Amino acid sequence: MCWTGGHRAVRDLGVSGPLGGRARRMARRGRGGLGKRLPALPEHADESLRPGRGAVVADLSRKEMSPLRKDTAKRIGEMTGRRDGNLGGAGLPEVGPWSHLIRTDQSRAHALVMKRSILAAIILILSVGGCSDLTSPMSTDGTVTKPETYPWIVTNPEAHGLSTAALQTALSYAFQPGNQTGAVLVIRNGQTIAESYAQNRQSTDLVTSWSVAKSFTSALVGAALEDSILESLEQRASYFLTYWLDDPIKSQITMDHLMTLRSGLIRLEGSDLYNAEDQLQVSLDRQVLGDPGEQLYTYSNADVMLISGVIETATGRSAQSYLDEQISGPIGFQGEWWTDGVGSTLGYCCLDATPRDFARFGILYAQDGVWEGEQVIPRDWVLASTAPARSGTYAYYWWPMQQGGFAAIGIHGQLIAIFPALDLVLLRFSEYTRWGDGSTVRVGGNYHGTQEPENFDIGTFVSLALGAVRN
């Protein structure tokens, strides 16, 4: 293992089955990937469009497995090879809107994990003798230094059907004194129409996602489904979160329940989760309030934390590493995802990157998962996971927007708003300070610093920006 400047120089080596995830998708692109196997997602009522309080922070090096992860590994090992579809109460339901994606051989996913580990070891052995320069892009002063491949050149708004004067009105609103706005970007037709920063900020300064990161977690679920690492959204989470296997109620909670606010578990306040050393364990330990499938609230950080735990257990790697392979590499995104004190990625929040990097993610979704001709995220997943938001319901970690759009939203006005019909992406991020020792581990004095805007409203900003669209 090579280490450079305190950052990991060689990231996790992992593949999905006999080929790496993206390679497998490209190999079967002629068969359409998820394609026709995905039905339209069910709609779930939502009572509020107000995002909840996010959490913050953590580092990805895992020198030692937490007790929970050791127990998970042990119990998955005990289950490997069982083919009766029961798995001690953690089997897959026989019916449901995604049930035709379920395979009867439930050990297959774990066989893939074992293959992935073996192949990773082979790759590592074959690569001995040199250390690639894969150091983190983050410098100690909180900026990013990297070559730019995307043409970040501001073009004439009028040439792309936007009113320059109306667009300036939206920008002026965002940057009003006291709004704590650090950056605003407007992208249309894949071109940068506007890019503005606070006087004390520049394009290489980091911003933080807060709950915008939830939408990245959603994208990783789509990648894992495409790679058959996850069987379907009706797969029970306890298949991977084996701590729940012996609980008669929690063992019935599915991936879909966790992604549509229907776990039936008590909702934690943001600070209760954020300040815990082992946030995955805290999320698992929540009391049961209702039946799985019953919607008791409209927002939950802890449910997303569990989905992040599923991804990390199913893939056998950190969410950061899986993100790097599946999305970051293809689109040129570079960011750091915080972890808790035991190394679990905070999938519900806390991804640090530059505004331009977040713009890449927005452009990717505006283009139905395609980047420079490559299908990075399965188109079927992009459409299915954003379908509820497009029709006015928060689900699968996407918020509804005007004119059939959808958005990733975080506390204090963090925003990636996407309007596919207009080929328009709007971004707004706060001025951000990373407090602590500079690491991304949410312990002690390491935390994110953003402030509540005095007079900024996402709906108002979006309406002003949409008002600039002329054709």
Side-chain angles (χ1 to χ4, degrees):
M1 179 68 71
C2 297
W3 296 78
T4 303
H7 291 288
R8 186 155 33 181
V10 175
R11 294 181 174 174
D12 297 334
L13 292 174
V15 295
S16 304
L19 297 173
R22 292 177 52 238
R24 290 182 63 221
R25 285 205 297 278
M26 294 180 68
R28 67 182 177 211
R29 186 170 296 163
R31 296 190 281 122
L34 286 174
K36 297 180 180 179
R37 296 189 296 148
L38 291 184
L41 291 177
E43 293 187 3
H44 304 287
D46 181 25
E47 301 173 1
S48 172
L49 298 184
R50 180 181 180 182
R53 175 172 295 181
V56 234
V57 294
D59 186 273
L60 296 166
S61 55
R62 292 180 182 163
K63 297 180 176 62
E64 191 170 334
M65 294 177 68
S66 68
L68 174 61
R69 293 185 181 280
K70 289 179 180 178
D71 176 70
T72 298
K74 178 176 181 293
R75 300 191 69 164
I76 286 180
E78 293 172 351
M79 293 188 299
T80 301
R82 294 182 61 173
R83 309 170 70 89
D84 56 6
N86 191 1
L87 296 184
L92 303 177
E94 296 179 356
V95 296
W98 296 70
S99 59
H100 63 294
L101 296 182
I102 299 171
R103 295 176 175 81
T104 57
D105 183 1
Q106 298 185 32
S107 66
R108 184 175 183 273
H110 298 298
L112 289 175
V113 172
M114 294 177 66
K115 290 179 182 178
R116 196 162 52 246
S117 300
I118 294 171
L119 286 174
I122 294 173
I123 294 171
L124 181 61
I125 292 171
L126 292 176
S127 63
V128 169
C131 178
S132 300
D133 183 17
L134 296 177
T135 56
S136 167
M138 306 303 169
S139 64
T140 56
D141 64 354
T143 62
V144 173
T145 55
K146 61 180 181 179
E148 292 288 2
T149 57
Y150 187 84
W152 299 104
I153 302 173
V154 177
T155 59
N156 184 359
E158 305 289 343
H160 292 275
L162 295 173
S163 165
T164 301
L167 190 57
Q168 184 57 54
T169 299
L171 293 174
S172 298
Y173 170 78
F175 285 99
Q176 283 181 8
N179 278 350
Q180 309 298 331
T181 297
V184 170
L185 277 76
V186 178
I187 312 290
R188 193 174 198 200
N189 304 326
Q191 301 294 314
T192 306
I193 306 303
E195 182 176 20
S196 297
Y197 297 91
Q199 290 185 354
N200 60 341
R201 292 292 190 271
Q202 56 186 351
S203 64
T204 54
D205 286 326
L206 296 177
V207 294
T208 195
S209 67
W210 289 112
S211 290
V212 164
K214 289 179 172 68
S215 301
F216 283 75
T217 298
S218 177
L220 292 186
V221 170
L225 285 168
E226 171 74 353
D227 288 341
S228 297
I229 294 173
L230 300 177
E231 301 294 343
S232 82
L233 292 185
E234 292 301 324
Q235 187 170 15
R236 295 182 184 179
S238 57
Y239 184 53
F240 302 102
L241 305 175
T242 59
Y243 186 77
W244 277 355
L245 277 177
D246 298 326
D247 189 297
I249 297 178
K250 292 181 179 180
S251 63
Q252 305 300 311
I253 296 173
T254 67
M255 299 281 292
D256 194 67
H257 292 152
L258 293 173
M259 297 191 76
T260 57
L261 306 162
R262 298 180 299 127
S263 68
L265 302 177
I266 191 172
R267 181 182 183 273
L268 294 178
E269 294 299 324
S271 59
D272 292 337
L273 182 63
Y274 168 62
N275 291 327
E277 180 181 10
D278 189 340
Q279 297 191 30
L280 181 58
Q281 188 65 60
V282 169
S283 300
L284 288 164
D285 287 341
R286 287 179 294 159
Q287 295 180 353
V288 175
L289 288 185
D291 296 327
E294 182 179 0
Q295 188 165 26
L296 304 174
Y297 39 73
T298 59
Y299 199 77
S300 172
N301 290 323
D303 284 2
V304 190
M305 187 69 196
L306 293 174
I307 288 292
S308 179
V310 167
I311 291 171
E312 296 198 323
T313 301
T315 63
R317 60 203 300 187
S318 70
Q320 171 88 64
S321 175
Y322 196 53
L323 175 69
D324 289 346
E325 178 197 89
Q326 300 294 323
I327 299 173
S328 300
I331 72 173
F333 178 92
Q334 295 188 6
E336 289 184 319
W337 213 334
W338 290 61
T339 70
D340 65 14
V342 299
S344 298
T345 302
L346 307 186
Y348 65 96
C349 78
C350 312
L351 182 60
D352 292 357
T354 68
R356 288 179 175 181
D357 275 314
F358 282 117
R360 294 172 188 270
F361 186 73
I363 294 169
L364 179 67
Y365 264 79
Q367 298 174 349
D368 292 340
V370 173
W371 186 271
E372 295 183 349
E374 178 182 353
Q375 191 74 51
V376 176
I377 302 174
R379 181 177 184 271
D380 295 330
W381 176 254
V382 172
L383 297 178
S385 63
T386 61
R390 294 176 197 236
S391 61
T393 299
Y394 175 75
Y396 304 100
Y397 313 148
W398 288 102
W399 291 93
M401 278 282 118
Q402 303 98 306
Q403 299 190 23
F406 52 93
I409 294 177
I411 193 174
H412 296 166
Q414 320 311 316
L415 173 70
I416 305 177
I418 301 159
F419 303 89
L422 300 174
D423 199 357
L424 178 69
V425 181
L426 307 174
L427 300 98
R428 183 270 178 191
F429 286 92
S430 299
E431 296 181 359
Y432 166 55
T433 301
R434 180 189 288 184
W435 294 102
D437 61 14
S439 73
T440 52
V441 182
R442 174 60 193 111
V443 292
N446 296 340
Y447 61 94
H448 288 67
T450 61
Q451 297 184 39
E452 181 75 37
E454 293 181 5
N455 187 35
F456 178 82
D457 174 74
I458 286 177
T460 301
F461 169 71
V462 169
S463 294
L464 289 172
L466 290 177
V469 178
R470 295 293 180 257
N471 55 59

